[in-house]
Amino acid sequence: MKNVLVGFIVFLGYALHAEEGMLIPSLLQAFESDMKAKGMKLSAADIYSVNNASLKDAIMHFGGGCTAELVSEKGLLLTNHHCGLDAVQRHSSTEHDYLKNGFWAKQFSDELPNAGLTATRIVRIEDVTEAMMFGIQGLEDGNKIGEVLKRNMKKLIEDATRGTHYQGDVQAFDYGNSFYLMVKEVFTDVRLVGAPPSSIGKFGGDTDNWVWPRHTGDFSVFRIYAGKDNKPAEYNAENVPYTPIKHLKIAFNDRKKGDFTMVYGFPGQTEQHLTSGNLKYYIEKQRPMEIDMRTKSLAVINEAMTKSDLTRIQYMAKQARIANAWKKYIGQIDGLKQLDAVSLKKKFEAEYIAKANSKEEWSRYAPLIDRMNKLVDEKGVYEFNYTLFVEYLFVGPEYFRLARGMEDLERNYGKYRTNNELDAKVKAMIKGADGFFKNYDIAVDKGIFDVLTPTFKNYLDKRFVVPSLATSKLSEAIYSKSIFVNKEKYVAFLSKLTEKSFAKLAKDPGYKLFVESFNVMRNEIAAGSNDYNLEMDALLKDFVEGKLLMFPDGKNWPDANSTLRVTYGLLEGSAPVDGMAYTEHTTLKGMIDKYNTGNPDFDLDPKMIELYKDKKYGNYAQNGELWVCFTGSNHTTGGNSGSPVLDANGNLMGLNFDRSWESTMSDFYFDPNRCRNIVVDIRYVMWVMDVYCGAKNLVDEMVLVK
């Protein structure tokens, strides 16, 4: 009960710091007056309600990693271009280059299905802290506490979803100081409707990524389909467009500096409570290693993509995934150093310790910071090397992906056979080979392997040994002999698979390297990394509890954890560094100016230049200018990609797709003076659909409010 009370106190006290924080929608009543003071004309119930249709019913968790919003009565869904890029890429080929030229379905029957893609609506959010903690009083053994929590979670989910088609999960907030139940409706038939050409959807490429001023039309269009009963259903040609409980109307009115803005979405992860020692570790060790590994991979991929249309299609989505985090990490380090965030953390830590020592009942919080900083020094090596293996085995050479599936098959061969799952498993792997090798270039993969393997060896702590790494001419052996770099050999092996086949496979140089590496990661490093994180999380749980009690008016919003959140602020620019001021919006003129620099990241189709010269903006201009993007003082992070940015009346102003370069450090430390989210204006989105791409039928589905 104490934790619930503490949380309530924090939410009341935090309302004065609204620019920072990602708020739980079910608790918005505590912020309603502050939101209205900034211009909002809605009530908290308009934003989140269980018993009535509210804005939350139009917000979808897209594919588990982005956000999307419903914008028509026919289930039309908007998200970012980079969120839909995998789907566009899977449907693309040299004959149908949807990445380069765009794609627009003219009618429902032209819309393309996407196996495995989901869109999830939150039905309700419920505080279940007391129920989750029932039975753990007096327990000190972490494993026993975990068993009780797991049992309580299972019962809560079963009770919440019994007799419905809903799903549920329980998420920990503030490292287990509170828990919330999420009841969800998951749609599994999500079809691609449209995407602009990459000259719009990826305009600026890596040059502009995370940078303001921005001119990227980062949007794509999907549609949710359902069964005849309007409930989720697996893909079927007989399914019909979903009729939503709520869909967003389009803010077609002019914008101005100082307008209220609200972002509603599923932010992925922030880590605001880390100590100075942990932040120093990220700045000096982990992030530089990740940047180094990705810089080398990207050099290989980028060069190959410029030489072949096929390679460009094969690697565009992969390159974007690697490059996005790569540039973000560079910005994080730069921003944290400029802000001198480690010193700011140390200053707060001194205040925390002094506060803890001021009262006997708070004294147990005093040693926590020192213990966390020492833990980083003593066991951070496991976390570093675990991250290193992730970069090598999961982000690096692609053939490791097939080897990983084969290792699972070998390890669980007996179980799959006993459960009569073996044939289905093998058939799925054979079928999956088509998709893998369609987007695989052996020369590119070897190039990545050749630059990453020596780098991996240099970073690897000497206590962890992977024998194959000492093999001479390892790369030549793998890329000339391994079954994992050749479709015919791979499929032939699986087609004749028996239990004895694995003895032969053990000699495969590519498989041998993967298994040795994966075993070191799993058996020698994962346990140490897990222990490190368990210890750190336990300390952070107590540390946050102390913050809530001792600093009730502090900035103590719950870290993002991929659950539905609201953040609000204003449409405004910034002055992130001395002598530099950013305006709050960009226009089509800036896009043309960038094109004129000759940088290939700013290439445009001739049609865009013609439309600009003729000023063919239709009804989408404001004072003779076509706004492309704008910035707001909303606290966002990964996962907010595709989130709707709403005006004072809850109408859709644009799609959130990025943060400025100076804002990337906000995952660890938010500075309201410099942190800005970047939004593609919905009027530009509709102009591209209507005037540029001839998809006015989609604009006609939407309700425009001026």
Side-chain angles (χ1 to χ4, degrees), residues 204-225:
D206 289 336
T207 301
D208 266 9
N209 196 17
W210 301 104
V211 171
W212 184 259
R214 200 71 178 273
H215 300 82
T216 310
D218 199 343
F219 77 94
S220 55
V221 191
F222 291 78
R223 193 184 305 276
I224 298 175
Y225 280 75

Side-chain angles (χ1 to χ4, degrees), residues 6 14 85 90 96 110 159 176 213 279 285 315 351 356 364 384 477 528 543 552 559 621 667 693 703:
V6 167
Y14 179 68
L85 192 59
R90 283 196 297 270
H96 299 287
D110 296 333
D159 289 347
L279 200 59
K285 293 183 179 181
Y315 281 84
E351 295 174 8
R364 74 183 191 89
F384 178 86
F543 173 69
D559 269 324
D667 289 348
C693 295
V703 178

Side-chain angles (χ1 to χ4, degrees), residues 84-129:
L85 192 59
D86 278 340
V88 180
Q89 190 272 336
R90 283 196 297 270
H91 291 296
S92 294
S93 64
T94 50
E95 294 77 24
H96 299 287
D97 194 344
Y98 299 140
L99 291 168
K100 181 179 180 180
N101 303 318
F103 168 80
W104 297 96
K106 298 300 183 184
Q107 52 196 355
F108 291 151
S109 59
D110 296 333
E111 296 173 359
L112 302 176
N114 302 282
L117 182 59
T118 60
T120 301
R121 179 180 74 90
I122 298 300
V123 177
R124 70 176 186 273
I125 303 170
E126 184 178 339
D127 187 338
V128 292
T129 306

Side-chain angles (χ1 to χ4, degrees), residues 178 200 213 345 417 636:
S178 57
I200 291 175
K345 284 279 187 181
R417 186 170 58 185
T636 61

Side-chain angles (χ1 to χ4, degrees), residues 29-183:
Q29 283 187 339
F31 301 89
E32 187 174 340
S33 61
D34 187 60
M35 295 171 83
K36 288 185 174 180
K38 284 183 166 56
M40 186 183 75
K41 296 179 173 62
L42 303 167
S43 68
D46 292 327
I47 300 169
Y48 174 90
S49 176
V50 175
N51 300 317
N52 299 295
S54 61
L55 290 177
K56 80 161 175 64
D57 298 305
I59 315 302
M60 294 284 172
H61 204 184
F62 184 82
C66 285
T67 304
E69 50 275 355
L70 289 155
V71 292
S72 86
E73 293 180 345
K74 299 176 183 177
L76 200 65
L77 202 63
L78 294 181
T79 190
N80 285 158
H81 183 271
H82 73 263
C83 294
L85 192 59
D86 278 340
V88 180
Q89 190 272 336
R90 283 196 297 270
H91 291 296
S92 294
S93 64
T94 50
E95 294 77 24
H96 299 287
D97 194 344
Y98 299 140
L99 291 168
K100 181 179 180 180
N101 303 318
F103 168 80
W104 297 96
K106 298 300 183 184
Q107 52 196 355
F108 291 151
S109 59
D110 296 333
E111 296 173 359
L112 302 176
N114 302 282
L117 182 59
T118 60
T120 301
R121 179 180 74 90
I122 298 300
V123 177
R124 70 176 186 273
I125 303 170
E126 184 178 339
D127 187 338
V128 292
T129 306
E130 290 188 71
M132 278 293 292
M133 294 193 173
F134 180 78
I136 68 171
Q137 289 76 11
L139 295 179
E140 295 186 5
D141 184 278
N143 291 325
K144 290 183 178 179
I145 292 173
E147 289 173 7
V148 173
L149 291 174
K150 188 176 180 180
R151 186 168 61 246
N152 291 344
M153 182 185 298
K154 182 180 179 183
K155 185 176 186 306
L156 282 165
I157 292 172
E158 288 175 349
D159 289 347
T161 59
R162 187 179 294 113
T164 74
H165 64 278
Y166 298 143
Q167 299 178 24
D169 69 82
V170 174
Q171 292 280 350
F173 287 68
D174 286 330
Y175 299 94
N177 278 292
S178 57
F179 294 87
Y180 285 82
L181 168 71
M182 313 289 165
V183 179

Side-chain angles (χ1 to χ4, degrees), residues 21 140 145 236 346 409 645:
E140 295 186 5
I145 292 173
N236 189 306
K346 287 180 177 179
L409 184 64
V645 179

Side-chain angles (χ1 to χ4, degrees), residues 155 188 221 238 269 298 336 362 387 399 415 446-447 465 503 505 521 528 558 564 609 621 631 651 666 673:
K155 185 176 186 306
T188 54
V221 191
E238 300 300 315
Q269 184 180 23
L298 287 169
L336 290 168
W362 291 346
T387 305
Y399 95 80
K415 183 183 76 173
K446 184 178 185 298
V465 178
L505 186 63
M521 180 185 183
L564 188 61
I609 300 165
T631 58
N651 298 321
S666 64
N673 295 315

